[in-house]
Amino acid sequence: MTEVVKVELGARAYEVRIGAGLLARAGAEIAPLLRKPKVAVVADETVARLHLEALRAGLGDIEMVSMTLPSGEGTKSWPHFERVCEWLLAQKVERKDIVVAFGGGVIGDLVGFAAAVLRRGVRFVQIPTTLLAQVDSSVGGKTGINVTAGKNLIGAFHQPSLVLADIGLLDTLAPRDFLA
């Protein structure tokens, strides 16, 4: 069973879909948003190791290109932001294409910020993989990176086109990460 929370923001409205098994049907969930059957996915190393192939399978006929970044808060930085933007440009991501942020809050914030500024705003889908990301950072369009002066000081509000909160992904979290 999937619960749907509608975030009413006029032209920027989107849905947060919550339930088990959403990754397995990611293609059906994302396909209505696509102009062409291709997505660019950015994940952290841990999520990629555990779930990237399941996402690929769940996308079905949708082509997926992917980039993997190191896990951890240090990834929310200028160097990784630049790396993501350059990679998305190399993939020829256009304004009507979809970028997928596949990971916890770090990946969601970083990829959402890259989507906000790339070509003056491309669409993105959040697939949060931690409890905190599912209930907080994937919703509301808060995106950004950390800088020397402090956490989350560079960023933008950029609403996702869709959030797929697959609660089954939480089963692979270490108890400490789940409780965090």
Side-chain angles (χ1 to χ4, degrees):
M1 183 173 150
T2 301
E3 294 288 329
V4 177
V5 176
K6 294 182 179 186
V7 180
E8 300 290 349
L9 295 171
R12 296 174 301 137
Y14 61 95
E15 292 182 350
V16 179
R17 298 182 190 152
I18 307 160
L22 289 171
L23 198 61
R25 59 179 199 271
E29 301 286 345
I30 295 172
L33 302 173
L34 296 175
R35 179 184 63 133
K36 59 185 174 188
K38 181 179 180 180
V39 294
V41 176
V42 180
D44 73 40
E45 295 168 336
T46 303
V47 170
R49 182 175 38 79
L50 293 171
H51 305 294
L52 193 59
E53 288 310 311
L55 175 58
R56 187 181 311 277
L59 288 170
D61 293 335
I62 298 171
E63 180 186 350
M64 180 183 96
V65 293
S66 63
M67 170 186 217
T68 302
L69 297 173
S71 299
E73 190 72 21
T75 297
K76 248 173 71 168
S77 64
W78 281 118
H80 287 99
F81 171 74
E82 180 180 19
R83 185 173 164 211
V84 169
C85 289
E86 293 290 347
W87 179 78
L88 291 170
L89 290 170
Q91 301 308 310
K92 299 183 176 19
V93 171
E94 297 292 334
R95 292 197 73 211
K96 293 187 179 184
D97 294 337
I98 295 286
V99 174
V100 176
F102 189 35
V106 167
I107 291 296
D109 285 0
L110 173 69
V111 175
F113 183 40
V117 300
L118 190 76
R119 300 194 189 281
R120 296 189 177 99
V122 300
R123 298 175 313 146
F124 81 112
V125 169
Q126 290 264 21
I127 305 180
T129 59
T130 65
L131 183 58
L132 187 58
Q134 288 184 358
V135 300
D136 179 46
S137 63
S138 67
V139 180
K142 304 171 302 295
T143 70
I145 60 172
N146 303 330
V147 292
T148 305
K151 186 175 166 128
N152 296 321
L153 294 180
I154 307 290
F157 282 94
H158 186 60
Q159 303 300 330
S161 296
L162 174 68
V163 178
L164 296 177
D166 187 332
I167 60 173
L169 296 174
L170 302 178
D171 292 340
T172 60
L173 292 175
R176 178 187 166 119
D177 292 331
F178 182 79
L179 293 173

